[in-house]
Structures are given as C-alpha cells and as structure tokens.
Amino acid sequence: MDVDAYSYAHRRSWDRLDQLSRRRKLSGAESDELVTLYRRTSQQLARLQSHSPDPELIAGLSALLARARGRVLGTRTDTWGEIAHFFTHRFPAAVYRAWPWWASVAAVFVAVSAWLAIWIEGSGRAREVFGIPADNSAITAPGGAFETYYTEHPNDAFAAQVWTNNAWVAAIALFTGVLILPAAYLLFMNALNVGVTAGLMAEADRLDSFFGFILPHGTLELTAVFVAGGAGLKLGWTLVDPGRLSRIEAVARQGRATATIALGLVAVLFASGLLEGFVTPSPLPAPVRIGIGFAAEALFLVYVFGAGRRAALAQDAAAALPVEQEDRWQTTSGTR
C-alpha cells in the first residue's frame, strides 16, 4: 500500500471529521455527515492497521476517531435532539424515498374502491357476490350505523380506539410486505370495505353524508395506510431484486427505512385519530370539516416533498463525498 497516496486521497474527509467533531452544535445534516465520516474513517483505520507500519498516522487517526466517537455518542444521548432530528430528517426522508411505491398503492386503491362502488350501486350480481342484503337502510339511513359509528362513543375514547386500530393495520401492511401477498390482500380488503360502503351510500343517494364523514379524517388516514403498504411492498421487492447490494445488505438497509417509517406513522395516525375523534363527528358544517381534513393532508404532503426531499438530498451528499474519494483512490493507487 502506498501510505502517502492513501493519506493524501482521504486527508480532506479526515479534516472534515475533525472539524465536525470539534463543533459545539451540529445541524441535522451535519450530524448525519459526522456519523458517515466516522464509520468510513474507522474502516480506513482498520485497513491501515493491517497494511501500514506508520505508527504516527495510526495514532493520529485513532485520536481523531476517539474524539469523533465521543461526539457521536454525545449526540445520540441528546434525546430531544434525536427526536427532533427523526421528525425533521430521518422519517420524512424515508417516506420521500418510498413515494413512487405508496403513490402507486394510492392510485390502485382509489381505482379499485371506485370500481367496486360503481359496480355495487348498479348491480344485483355484486350483492350476490358479496352477500349484501337487499335492505341496507339500517346502515345508510340518516342516523344509521354509518353515521352513528362516529358519534356513539366519547370523542377521546373513540380517538384512542381508531388510533390503535389504524396503527395495527399500518404495522401489518408494513411488516407483511416482505411477503408481498399478505400486504396486497390487506390493502385490497380495505379498498373493498371503502368501495362497498360508498356503493351502498350512493345507492341510497347519500354520498354527501359518505364524503362528509370520510374525508375529514380519511384523507390523512388512508395516506398513512398507503405509505405503510408502499413501504412494505418495497421491502418485499428488495428481497426479490436487491440491486447492486447483496440480498442481505439490501434487505437490512430497506428494513431500517421501513422501521423508521413505522415509527413516524404512529404520529401521523395519532393526528388522524384526533381528526376522526373530534372533527369528523363535530357539529361543524361538512365543508369546514372536509377543509380541515384537506389542510392536514396538504401539510403532510408539503412535509414529505419539502422537508423529506431536502433531508434525502443532504443524506446523499454526506454519503457521496467519502465514496467519491475512495473511488478516486482505487483508480490511482496500487495494492491495498
């Protein structure tokens, strides 16, 4: 190994690690960069220890890593800082990276639900297939089961109930996604439930009530389910097609992203539960309730495609610098 060439190739990243480890405060992107550089430099030190007899270089890198390790561990023990970093960087970035998957799930879900609703509204055959009785007035009539579902329990208890139920559904969609078919089945059954209900309400000429009670909370709630389903299916597809990484490495990486999404969706579904428990059954006019639901959905999408995109780009930039330097060294140096 040409130690001088190796040191020259990586000097800039070592200096950057030293600079970051001495700063009193780090931004979220700088914290990610610190961790990435620390890991890279640890690997480089191990390589030098096995190939280089230069004790001064090894001692200097060891001291640098000791200081960086203390900073990394110190950052990790800042609980509130970690929570803030999770919701400003890690979670939105993970959701943003998975957006083609969950957007596709959303499109298929809406299409299937709409098709089922149209079929059920105008077809006796659909009633036979799904075992729907001829008289559904107990569900669809004003004050029927569809409407009283949202008002028969105290608001706070109902919000807690739907939060728990929705979190459970999202968790199943996420972590059965590795098998693909169970997650697809769960999503279909949810689409079936929405489609059948919409079809029955349309047949009773009560779509205004259907949308008035579904949209205030359902836009955000269903988006969370779409994200869970999309992330779960992405995890399953990673097992089928790991790309450039080994199958174990690819699944482990995507599994960490899936776990991040799972934790973040707990908060999203909590917000959705509050909407379903307090806004949906409120006496506010339907347009106001729907407007609140759409505003919550818009905030989430801005959060993902604004903060999430920026965080993802910052993570890519932090990870790319050491890799580019390593690649340049591989093309200009001899045996390691």
Side-chain angles (χ1 to χ4, degrees):
M1 169 187 277
D2 187 338
V3 177
D4 291 335
Y6 190 83
S7 300
Y8 179 78
H10 296 286
R11 178 62 60 184
R12 183 176 297 178
S13 66
W14 296 343
D15 290 342
R16 177 61 173 166
L17 177 61
D18 181 58
Q19 180 186 26
L20 291 173
S21 65
R22 294 177 184 275
R23 287 189 181 178
R24 295 184 60 185
K25 293 184 178 180
L26 297 175
S27 66
E30 288 172 337
S31 296
D32 287 340
E33 185 182 3
L34 173 67
V35 173
T36 300
L37 290 175
Y38 171 75
R39 290 173 178 169
R40 294 281 182 178
T41 305
S42 297
Q43 296 170 359
Q44 292 158 3
L45 175 60
R47 190 176 296 118
L48 284 168
Q49 287 173 329
S50 62
H51 290 86
S52 171
D54 188 340
E56 184 176 348
L57 176 60
I58 291 174
L61 283 179
S62 297
L64 171 60
L65 284 171
R67 183 167 57 253
R69 184 185 303 112
R71 188 59 195 273
V72 168
L73 294 176
T75 300
R76 295 298 173 87
T77 57
D78 181 4
T79 304
W80 289 110
E82 275 295 296
I83 293 173
H85 180 67
F86 177 85
F87 283 107
T88 57
H89 291 78
R90 291 176 58 197
F91 172 59
V95 176
Y96 174 77
R97 292 183 191 280
W99 80 262
W101 287 84
W102 56 262
S104 299
V105 167
V108 173
F109 186 102
V110 171
V112 169
S113 297
W115 175 76
L116 286 169
I118 293 170
W119 186 34
I120 288 170
E121 180 188 5
S123 171
R125 174 61 180 163
R127 289 178 172 275
E128 295 178 10
V129 170
F130 295 111
I132 301 173
D135 182 10
N136 299 283
S137 58
I139 298 173
T140 59
F146 175 77
E147 294 181 359
T148 57
Y149 169 77
Y150 298 100
T151 58
E152 62 185 353
H153 299 291
N155 291 354
D156 51 354
F158 183 58
Q161 176 187 332
V162 297
W163 178 35
T164 303
N165 177 71
N166 292 335
W168 177 244
V169 170
I172 294 175
L174 273 164
F175 294 108
T176 61
V178 70
L179 302 176
I180 298 179
L181 289 180
Y185 174 77
L186 176 68
L187 291 168
F188 172 76
M189 292 306 295
N190 276 271
L192 175 64
N193 183 50
V194 172
V196 168
T197 305
L200 294 178
M201 294 295 284
E203 190 174 60
D205 197 24
R206 302 215 58 231
L207 274 181
D208 56 338
S209 178
F210 174 78
F211 288 119
F213 279 94
I214 287 292
L215 293 180
H217 66 275
T219 47
L220 185 60
E221 177 185 294
L222 286 176
T223 299
V225 172
F226 299 153
V227 170
L233 292 174
K234 184 179 181 182
L235 176 62
W237 188 251
T238 300
L239 186 61
V240 177
D241 180 13
R244 297 182 179 180
L245 300 176
S246 70
R247 185 164 277 103
I248 293 176
E249 291 174 333
V251 171
R253 174 182 292 185
Q254 187 55 41
R256 289 192 293 271
T258 302
T260 296
I261 290 174
L263 288 174
L265 285 181
V266 172
V268 177
L269 289 169
F270 177 72
S272 147
L274 292 178
L275 290 173
E276 189 167 0
F278 293 93
V279 175
T280 298
S282 73
L284 293 171
V288 175
R289 289 186 278 118
I290 293 173
I292 293 173
F294 283 173
E297 173 74 0
L299 287 173
F300 179 73
L301 294 179
V302 169
Y303 169 66
V304 170
F305 289 99
R309 180 176 181 275
R310 288 193 298 271
L313 292 175
Q315 291 171 3
D316 292 342
L321 180 59
V323 172
E324 291 172 357
Q325 292 177 341
E326 185 79 10
D327 290 343
R328 285 200 300 270
W329 183 84
Q330 288 180 352
T331 59
T332 59
S333 180
T335 304
R336 298 185 174 209

